[in-house]
Amino acid sequence: MDEVSLNTEPAGDDDADEFEIEGDCAMTDFISQTGIIQGENPLPPVVGMEFDSYEDVYYFYNCYAKQQGFGVRVSNTWYRKSKERYRGKLSCSSAGFKKKSEANRPRPETRTGCPAMIKFRLMDSNRWRVIEVELEHNHLISPASGKFYKSHKSVGVGTKRALQLDTAEEVQKIRLFRTVIIDSEGNGSIDVDEGESGNRVDYSNQLKLKEGDAQAVQNYFSRLQLMDPNFFYVVDLNEKGCLRNLFWADARTRVAYSYFCDIVAIDTTCLENKFEVPLVSFIGVNHHGQSVLLGCGLLASETVESYTWLFRAWLTCILGRPPQAIITSQCRTLQTAISDVFPRASHCLCLSHIMQKFPENLGGLFEYEAIKESFSRAVSYSLRVEEFEAAWEDMVQRHGIRDHKWLKALFDDRKRWVPVYLKDIFLAGMSPVQPSEVVSSYFKEFLHKDTPLKEFLDKYDQALQTHHRLEALADLDSRNSSYMLKSGCYFELQLSKVYTNDILRKFESEVEGMYSCFSTSQLNPDGPVITHIVKEQTEVDGNRREVRDYEVLYNPSEMEVLCICGMFNLRGYLCRHALSVLNQNGVEEIPAQYVLSRWRKDIERNYIFDHSCSGIDINNPVHRYDHLYKCIVQVVEEGRKSQDRYKVAFGALDEILNKLCLTEDPAL
């Protein structure tokens, strides 16, 4: 099984002053003395869960184990020299093997080397976070056998010591581990009498669901799980046990990320604008330049904790492989959560979102139109950092807006959104270069501010199918149609054989732009890297035209070309200035490193989830059962659609059973 950790800190031994203790550490005695609560745990352990204490982690896992039907052992506990615990591992009681005994009649071996376990560690926040989980066992488990294990002797009805409900905090811990009952009336409520503590429930920290919403979510997810064995979702409950946050992704979405994981935009428009559905979408860009969904979530609030939970859930879904760059709206809360969960990713701000906020923040100023024009020119036409900062200084000084709070915050974040600062980050065209360009939402046509959650769930599949059809049609168009070239340039002919039509159309504008470039001169021509100055006549302010100089570096030995405009990283293909330099130097083909595989039409992108990615171990009977069950469910779903399909499925299954009956297995 792939090891995936939501922990941004290294999971290894990162402190020199520490030591380790193996064994149960008297945890069972602790449980007996403190009077553990009754009830069942509603959720399996998930990487990223956090708890107030070491004992809470043990209790949580022990409740889960009792419900599933296995015992718990404390395999390892790591201590610092200060005697402070900082890391632990809880395992199934069948983990490992007993030491060999020299007794004449040793007890029979009862352990199986079971891999089921959780690892957790103490974070800087003084909370304990689960950093690794293995749920699969290599032996049979049954909920009926849970009461026979030592670790469960104090859990459940019949505990000798009565539970003392002294404080509201203790009551919250009880509710956290009670079974969640989702119904149309309770919006994800729990089976606890509110009168036991005398405290009124606070619903501010949970999803604001209407009647029937929770049941609609449950029904929808149940149907998806039946149709899609690799459908992934994670539920987050608040301290009252009510639904707070939610994340989900289907198999196609998870596979799509493996192809287009370099750059991801996180769309929080619905949450920020108080939509009825507080949706957060993870959006990528496919080989046609179209939006592709990479995951969805519902959040109760715009807090660092909510965003952090969602990002860790998504990171688990994508097997712990974060994107290289992330684009979001301008939000300090988002920035904090992203720096925590994705510390190595480049965090960029979407220029179109900033421009959408322009009227709201500056619309009341007397010289609004002039300020907007100066802003756009500084952002769009600056080729060097010093040019942008000089243009910004001129704008704030001329219009007297130096102390404007929103503009000051934008300037502080300039390295995250101004194109001149983003030239070293590959953005594949997802971040607009011109302030006038608009990035539309993936669900724009299907989700409006007042759309109810139940209606959105009905339209969700429709939205996915619409985007899937657009991609399929674009694939068909790119592979089967003969593309009409607009120029006789060989660069265009070269890419027309490998690139999708949509990307080729965008590249064509750069090929055509080569003819507006002239007077290409060289500086230091004797060095390994030749500097070219390419002049281009560009249109400015509608009708006026001006000549601009673009510096292009060219290394003939390495076939490397780099333009100061940064087009290749921003959009994913070479600019007209770089093409002009290659053409002038007699280069007939675009160098291979500038022909990106992500835009190619000749790559077969199979959106079927590969079970090997899930760590299927055919030597493990539990894994075999789970894998075969999922495959059979798919056969059942296809077979039920018509009488002909039913006959084919039934005949095939009957044939399989006959073959299995004839197969001799010595292990049986």
Side-chain angles (χ1 to χ4, degrees):
M1 179 175 180
D2 293 336
E3 294 186 0
V4 181
S5 174
L6 295 184
N7 187 12
T8 55
E9 298 179 19
D13 300 341
D14 52 358
D15 294 285
D17 299 336
E18 61 198 27
F19 56 94
E20 173 185 346
I21 294 179
E22 298 186 13
D24 284 348
C25 298
M27 183 58 73
T28 303
D29 294 338
F30 172 86
I31 297 296
S32 300
Q33 295 169 10
T34 52
I36 289 303
I37 66 173
Q38 304 175 22
E40 295 177 337
N41 169 37
L43 293 172
V46 177
V47 174
M49 283 182 168
E50 292 191 352
F51 301 84
D52 290 331
S53 68
Y54 183 102
E55 289 75 21
D56 283 351
V57 184
Y58 181 92
Y59 173 65
F60 168 82
Y61 193 56
N62 202 28
C63 282
Y64 167 75
K66 180 177 182 290
Q67 185 182 22
Q68 296 295 312
F70 66 94
V72 173
R73 288 197 307 112
V74 180
S75 294
N76 303 89
T77 302
W78 285 262
Y79 288 79
R80 296 189 174 94
K81 284 189 175 180
S82 60
K83 301 298 178 67
E84 178 191 22
R85 287 180 298 202
Y86 81 97
R87 192 167 173 230
K89 177 182 178 182
L90 304 179
S91 301
C92 170
S93 57
S94 295
F97 298 95
K98 292 182 179 179
K99 296 180 180 179
K100 292 184 178 181
S101 174
E102 297 180 358
N104 293 331
R105 299 179 63 185
R107 293 183 179 180
E109 177 63 77
T110 58
R111 299 186 189 179
T112 63
C114 181
M117 60 85 198
I118 64 169
K119 291 181 181 178
F120 52 101
R121 67 172 297 142
L122 183 65
M123 308 305 293
D124 292 337
S125 60
N126 290 324
R127 289 173 63 83
W128 290 82
R129 179 182 299 165
V130 177
I131 60 173
E132 189 175 344
V133 173
E134 173 56 68
L135 297 180
E136 302 293 351
H137 298 260
N138 63 2
H139 57 95
L140 295 178
I141 58 176
S142 171
S145 62
K147 60 185 178 181
F148 298 113
Y149 291 101
K150 180 181 178 181
S151 61
H152 306 318
K153 68 179 184 179
S154 301
V155 181
V157 179
T159 181
K160 294 181 179 180
R161 181 183 175 90
L163 174 64
Q164 302 297 322
L165 301 177
D166 296 329
T167 65
E169 181 181 358
E170 290 300 318
V171 175
Q172 290 178 0
K173 289 181 181 180
I174 293 171
R175 292 177 184 145
L176 178 62
F177 301 115
R178 285 290 182 94
T179 301
V180 178
I181 301 174
I182 299 180
D183 54 31
S184 58
E185 301 292 330
N187 293 339
S189 60
I190 54 174
D191 188 20
V192 174
D193 183 5
E194 297 304 323
E196 14 176 278
S197 65
N199 295 330
R200 190 171 62 87
V201 180
D202 178 14
Y203 290 107
S204 62
N205 190 23
Q206 66 188 66
L207 286 174
K208 298 175 179 61
L209 303 180
K210 294 184 177 179
E211 182 176 347
D213 282 351
Q215 188 65 51
V217 171
Q218 185 182 36
N219 293 342
Y220 182 72
F221 281 11
S222 297
R223 179 172 65 84
L224 281 184
Q225 279 191 307
L226 193 63
M227 298 174 62
D228 179 1
N230 294 294
F231 176 71
F232 179 97
Y233 76 95
V234 186
V235 175
D236 176 37
L237 306 178
N238 64 13
E239 64 277 3
K240 309 295 190 215
C242 299
L243 186 60
R244 176 167 54 190
N245 303 312
L246 188 63
F247 172 83
W248 73 93
D250 59 22
R252 182 188 173 101
T253 290
R254 300 175 71 185
V255 177
Y257 181 80
S258 66
Y259 293 122
F260 312 114
C261 59
D262 42 13
I263 171 71
V264 175
I266 301 176
D267 186 356
T268 56
T269 304
C270 298
L271 187 61
E272 294 172 357
N273 294 334
K274 311 301 180 186
F275 275 41
E276 189 78 16
V277 178
L279 182 71
V280 177
S281 307
F282 297 85
I283 308 297
V285 58
N286 67 8
H287 48 301
H288 301 289
Q290 302 168 337
S291 295
V292 57
L293 187 65
L294 302 175
C296 281
L298 300 179
L299 295 187
S301 59
E302 298 177 76
T303 62
V304 173
E305 292 76 19
S306 292
Y307 281 129
T308 299
W309 179 90
L310 181 67
F311 298 160
R312 294 191 185 282
W314 181 59
L315 191 58
T316 302
C317 174
I318 58 178
L319 305 180
R321 298 171 300 189
Q324 299 169 17
I326 298 174
I327 301 175
T328 71
S329 61
Q330 183 193 19
C331 174
R332 294 295 178 191
T333 305
L334 272 172
Q335 186 172 325
T336 301
I338 287 175
S339 63
D340 178 31
V341 184
F342 308 107
R344 295 178 179 83
S346 300
H347 181 196
C348 308
L349 306 181
C350 183
L351 181 54
S352 64
H353 287 171
I354 291 175
M355 294 309 300
Q356 289 172 6
K357 298 288 186 180
F358 219 83
E360 174 187 336
N361 289 280
L362 299 175
L365 298 181
F366 177 71
E367 298 178 305
Y368 171 75
E369 291 298 334
I371 295 172
K372 186 176 181 180
E373 182 180 343
S374 299
F375 180 92
S376 297
R377 184 172 179 82
V379 171
S380 302
Y381 293 99
S382 298
L383 294 177
R384 296 174 175 82
V385 170
E386 54 269 23
E387 288 181 21
F388 168 76
E389 295 185 352
W392 186 277
E393 175 64 24
D394 178 69
M395 177 187 71
V396 297
Q397 183 173 350
R398 189 189 333 149
H399 299 288
I401 50 177
R402 184 184 303 277
D403 296 327
H404 192 281
K405 185 177 180 180
W406 184 66
L407 286 176
K408 287 179 67 176
L410 276 182
F411 187 74
D412 291 341
D413 280 333
R414 61 191 181 279
K415 295 181 180 179
R416 298 184 184 274
W417 63 273
V418 182
V420 72
Y421 293 96
L422 305 179
K423 295 176 182 178
D424 294 331
I425 303 172
F426 183 74
L427 298 175
M430 287 201 71
S431 181
V433 178
Q434 300 290 336
S436 58
E437 296 176 332
V438 177
V439 178
S440 60
S441 171
Y442 186 89
F443 294 101
K444 182 179 180 181
E445 300 177 8
F446 305 92
L447 180 60
H448 306 287
K449 189 166 186 177
D450 298 323
T451 302
L453 178 58
K454 287 191 291 185
E455 181 180 334
F456 170 69
L457 292 176
D458 292 336
K459 292 183 176 180
Y460 179 81
D461 285 339
Q462 183 183 349
L464 263 60
Q465 292 304 319
T466 298
H467 285 278
H468 296 168
R469 279 196 300 270
L470 289 175
E471 180 176 325
L473 289 173
D475 282 339
L476 189 65
D477 181 52
S478 295
R479 291 172 181 168
N480 298 337
S481 65
S482 56
Y483 192 85
M484 298 297 295
L485 302 180
K486 292 185 177 180
S487 71
C489 178
Y490 187 79
F491 294 147
E492 185 181 7
L493 177 61
Q494 174 193 359
L495 293 190
S496 69
K497 297 177 181 179
V498 293
Y499 271 13
T500 61
N501 290 354
D502 294 271
I503 302 302
L504 193 59
R505 290 187 186 100
K506 297 176 181 179
F507 177 70
E508 272 182 347
S509 64
E510 297 307 309
V511 174
E512 294 174 358
M514 289 173 59
Y515 300 106
S516 64
C517 298
F518 59 95
S519 185
T520 303
S521 58
Q522 297 183 11
L523 303 178
N524 61 306
D526 298 328
V529 178
I530 304 172
T531 302
H532 291 257
I533 303 298
V534 179
K535 294 183 179 295
E536 181 190 8
Q537 192 174 59
T538 60
E539 187 176 289
V540 182
D541 301 332
N543 298 321
R544 187 169 60 88
R545 302 183 70 85
E546 68 177 30
V547 175
R548 306 194 69 195
D549 292 346
Y550 292 85
E551 186 179 277
V552 181
L553 303 180
Y554 175 59
N555 185 337
S557 62
E558 301 293 334
M559 294 297 289
E560 294 179 347
V561 61
L562 178 64
C563 180
I564 194 172
C565 75
M567 172 72 77
F568 181 73
N569 274 342
L570 290 173
R571 295 199 182 275
Y573 44 82
L574 289 178
C575 63
R576 58 195 65 183
H577 320 112
L579 295 175
S580 296
V581 169
L582 291 177
N583 187 53
Q584 180 182 337
N585 284 272
V587 179
E588 296 182 353
E589 290 190 348
I590 296 175
Q593 64 264 37
Y594 302 111
V595 181
L596 303 183
S597 60
R598 72 165 355 270
W599 304 134
R600 296 182 72 104
K601 62 183 177 182
D602 54 350
I603 293 179
E604 187 68 30
R605 296 173 176 87
N606 188 351
Y607 290 107
I608 304 299
F609 196 85
D610 184 1
H611 286 286
S612 63
C613 296
S614 303
I616 298 298
D617 179 8
I618 63 173
N619 295 318
N620 187 326
V622 178
H623 283 210
R624 292 200 300 266
Y625 175 88
D626 184 58
H627 191 190
L628 288 172
Y629 181 81
K630 291 177 179 179
C631 293
I632 292 297
V633 168
Q634 288 179 295
V635 174
V636 171
E637 279 300 305
E638 291 298 322
R640 71 176 179 82
K641 293 180 180 179
S642 69
Q643 291 184 5
D644 291 338
R645 285 173 174 255
Y646 166 79
K647 292 177 181 178
V648 172
F650 183 80
L653 289 175
D654 191 50
E655 183 180 352
I656 291 172
L657 286 174
N658 289 333
K659 288 182 178 180
L660 290 175
C661 291
L662 294 175
T663 302
E664 294 185 3
D665 191 340
L668 296 177

